[in-house]
Amino acid sequence: PPGAYEPPPPGYYGPAPVWEPPPPPKPKHRAPKTAFWAGARVGYFVPFGNLWQRYTPQGYEAVKWSDYASSGPMLELDIGARFSRHYNVFFTWERATLGNGDEAPDANGGQAKGSTDYYGIGVRFSSDADRVGFLTEIDLGWRRFRAEWEDGTTLEMSEAPLEFRIGLGADIRVTTFFSLSPMVSLGAGSFGKAEWTAANGTKSDAYLPGDEGAGHGWLTFQLGWHFDIPPGGD
């Protein structure tokens, strides 16, 4: 006789197959996630602002940085580390060779040269470390300024431990281990000490009674090149 056929119980043929999409491909990076980082920069240094405020019977008179120096070329060396691919921490040394000031360029046999050094620690962030990214940099450090005359007279400004600098530019990845970074930076600070050294070696305080410190600033236009070791490419 014809039989009756019932549907099989659940799970008789095993669980139904479940389709899952394949995992997304692993992203390729040209910049390393972590690396030793070092390089240099060249550019142009523009000083502005005041070195100190000189007291006179008529009131305070600004001693401008341009009285003792003018713009000039700069060189900077950087060394640090890359972490999380987009961030760098580093130590920096900047040296700018400055032109003569306009206060008394012919005094003491004529002004010979001026220079300033900046030592700092900084943090950089790149929005795209693999290709071309927006670059931001913040530094905090210490600055020294020195003006020299032909007869050996010098003016040295120091005790500026909280010099602040911020830079904006581009991070251009050229290879897995090499990048370029054009940047404009702006900085500010204040010197706490000013000292004259005469031609015979005698030192004296440039701050007279009643004088006060003042704020100065600087602007730089730079092109940097830096290396990552080991390189990226993961």
Side-chain angles (χ1 to χ4, degrees):
Y5 298 94
E6 299 289 338
Y12 182 81
Y13 295 113
V18 178
W19 181 85
E20 294 183 359
K26 185 179 180 181
K28 297 292 185 181
H29 295 284
R30 301 184 72 197
K33 187 174 182 180
T34 59
F36 172 77
W37 182 84
R41 317 182 204 191
V42 294
Y44 197 68
F45 184 98
V46 182
F48 62 89
N50 302 323
L51 296 179
W52 74 88
Q53 296 282 345
R54 181 183 293 130
Y55 177 75
T56 69
Q58 293 75 32
Y60 283 100
E61 177 183 273
V63 179
K64 299 182 180 298
W65 201 345
S66 59
D67 291 345
Y68 295 101
S70 56
S71 305
M74 57 154 286
L75 171 68
E76 183 171 324
L77 300 178
D78 304 315
I79 184 170
R82 180 183 297 275
F83 67 97
S84 298
R85 204 178 314 275
H86 299 280
Y87 291 88
N88 298 77
V89 292
F90 63 96
F91 295 97
T92 185
W93 168 59
E94 172 200 277
R95 159 61 69 94
T97 302
L98 305 177
N100 296 341
D102 53 20
E103 171 71 11
D106 299 325
N108 303 318
Q111 189 172 355
K113 60 182 179 178
S115 63
T116 180
D117 295 277
Y118 174 73
Y119 306 88
I121 182 170
V123 178
R124 286 164 63 103
F125 169 76
S126 173
S127 63
D128 188 347
D130 293 317
R131 291 172 291 274
V132 178
F134 178 71
L135 186 62
T136 307
E137 181 178 294
I138 298 176
D139 308 333
L140 186 66
W142 175 88
R143 181 171 292 281
R144 177 196 69 92
F145 166 67
R146 183 181 178 91
E148 302 179 30
W149 284 261
E150 293 291 349
D151 68 349
T153 301
T154 63
L155 170 65
E156 183 159 344
M157 309 292 300
S158 58
E159 294 187 3
L162 294 176
E163 302 279 296
F164 178 79
R165 185 179 77 172
I166 183 170
L168 301 174
D171 182 24
I172 305 171
R173 175 64 53 173
V174 180
T175 69
T176 57
F177 63 89
F178 176 68
S179 60
L180 294 172
S181 54
M183 177 179 287
V184 177
S185 71
L186 181 66
S190 177
F191 293 113
K193 182 179 180 181
E195 186 176 66
W196 285 104
T197 301
N200 60 5
T202 303
K203 296 182 181 294
S204 60
D205 195 345
Y207 287 170
L208 300 178
D211 289 358
E212 294 184 354
H216 62 263
W218 68 92
L219 178 70
T220 65
F221 303 91
Q222 336 171 340
L223 175 62
W225 58 95
H226 296 90
F227 299 88
D228 290 286
I229 304 172
D234 58 327

